[in-house]
Amino acid sequence: AQRVTQPEKLLSVFKGAPVELKCNYSYSGSPELFWYVQYSRQRLQLLLRHISRESIKGFTADLNKGETSFHLKKPFAQEEDSAMYYCALSLMFSGGYNKLIFGAGTRLAVHP
Amino acid sequence: EAGVTQFPSHSVIEKGQTVTLRCDPISGHDNLYWYRRVMGKEIKFLLHFVKESKQDESGMPNNRFLAERTGGTYSTLKVQPAELEDSGVYFCASSEDERRGQSNTGELFFGEGSRLTVL
């Protein structure tokens, strides 16, 4: 069965410290993985997707198929990074749509 | 451009009552999804519409939940009768149709959610 695991409910760091939010997945097919973020009083929004291999707001995430992981990293955390982060596995269907399987989320708190 | 809008933002009802949540997707998005996050749990898929048709309703918890999307525009999710365990945040999301050649990177655009509290 498809599953996304985020082992940490809360990650608390100081400004300027490195950040790694862990995500592991279980999926027999070729995975498409995303990180979504929800800032305080804002809607859930896409942060980055693995296929684009881009850096957004200083965050990067590398898909490691051997370890079935898609950890989110940032070398120097900023206070404005404080938010709820969700790792999501996208299941694509031939009907032209996709279904997201979410992890439980990790709350990142960056302290001054 | 307006994003996905949901109404109400918060609803407090008593057990046994009925609540109807509404979602207006981004204009032109054929795909519309409902998700739910109950306290402390992950965001879970409820169902998916393509235009007015239910494509996948495998995540609907039971027959107390009824979703409609008449005319393929806005959607409603009715809970009748509501139970305590229905409390949570209900998210609506929309996306483009990949088949029509629109760019679809798999991204879903979410509304701000409707928080339901059942007392």
Side-chain angles (χ1 to χ4, degrees):
Chain A
Q2 306 91 3
R3 190 185 188 101
V4 175
T5 302
Q6 293 181 252
E8 304 140 327
K9 284 190 174 180
L10 172 66
L11 185 61
S12 188
V13 302
F14 286 103
K15 176 183 173 181
V19 167
E20 182 178 55
L21 288 85
K22 291 184 167 48
C23 171
N24 288 89
Y25 67 90
S26 173
Y27 183 50
S28 57
S30 183
E32 284 200 42
L33 288 149
F34 298 76
W35 277 98
Y36 277 78
V37 60
Q38 188 170 25
Y39 300 101
S40 178
R41 299 188 185 87
Q42 294 187 29
R43 64 188 67 203
L44 195 62
Q45 58 188 284
L46 178 67
L47 179 62
L48 56 79
R49 57 185 73 103
H50 92 268
I51 56 172
S52 54
R53 303 178 70 84
E54 57 195 344
S55 173
I56 302 293
K57 298 184 179 182
F59 284 98
T60 59
D62 291 319
L63 177 61
N64 185 323
K65 292 185 178 181
E67 296 183 357
T68 60
S69 69
F70 188 55
H71 303 327
L72 183 67
K73 300 177 184 179
K74 184 169 183 176
F76 307 104
Q78 303 299 315
E79 290 180 65
E80 56 265 31
D81 296 329
S82 296
M84 195 75 179
Y85 291 80
Y86 294 93
C87 183
L89 169 68
S90 178
L91 308 181
M92 299 297 294
F93 294 86
S94 58
Y97 73 96
N98 62 304
K99 180 195 294 189
L100 292 178
I101 308 295
F102 284 93
T106 298
R107 179 166 299 282
L108 174 64
V110 182
H111 304 286
Chain B
E1 178 185 332
V4 176
T5 57
Q6 292 187 245
F7 182 82
S9 58
H10 192 185
S11 181
V12 182
I13 61 173
E14 293 189 348
K15 175 182 172 181
Q17 290 186 319
T18 298
V19 63
T20 300
L21 310 178
R22 173 173 169 143
C23 169
D24 287 78
I26 292 173
S27 177
H29 281 190
D30 289 342
N31 294 305
L32 187 149
Y33 307 80
W34 284 98
Y35 284 81
R36 176 175 77 166
R37 183 179 65 214
V38 296
M39 182 76 76
K41 300 281 184 67
E42 63 268 26
I43 300 171
K44 283 198 170 179
F45 170 84
L46 295 179
L47 88 159
H48 164 245
F49 286 96
V50 176
K51 297 184 180 178
E52 67 276 8
S53 300
K54 289 178 187 173
Q55 184 76 24
D56 181 349
E57 50 185 332
S58 60
M60 294 288 264
N62 51 61
N63 59 10
R64 295 186 293 103
F65 289 75
L66 175 64
E68 295 180 324
R69 192 183 181 193
T70 307
T73 54
Y74 71 91
S75 173
T76 58
L77 179 65
K78 180 191 288 188
V79 185
Q80 180 183 30
E83 298 289 343
L84 299 179
E85 64 264 25
D86 300 333
S87 295
V89 181
Y90 291 76
F91 294 100
C92 177
S94 69
S95 71
E96 296 172 323
D97 184 349
E98 184 179 351
R99 292 171 300 177
R100 288 200 275 129
Q102 299 167 332
S103 77
N104 183 349
T105 56
E107 178 178 4
L108 267 59
F109 295 86
F110 283 83
E112 294 183 330
S114 290
R115 180 176 295 278
L116 173 63
T117 302
V118 183
L119 303 176

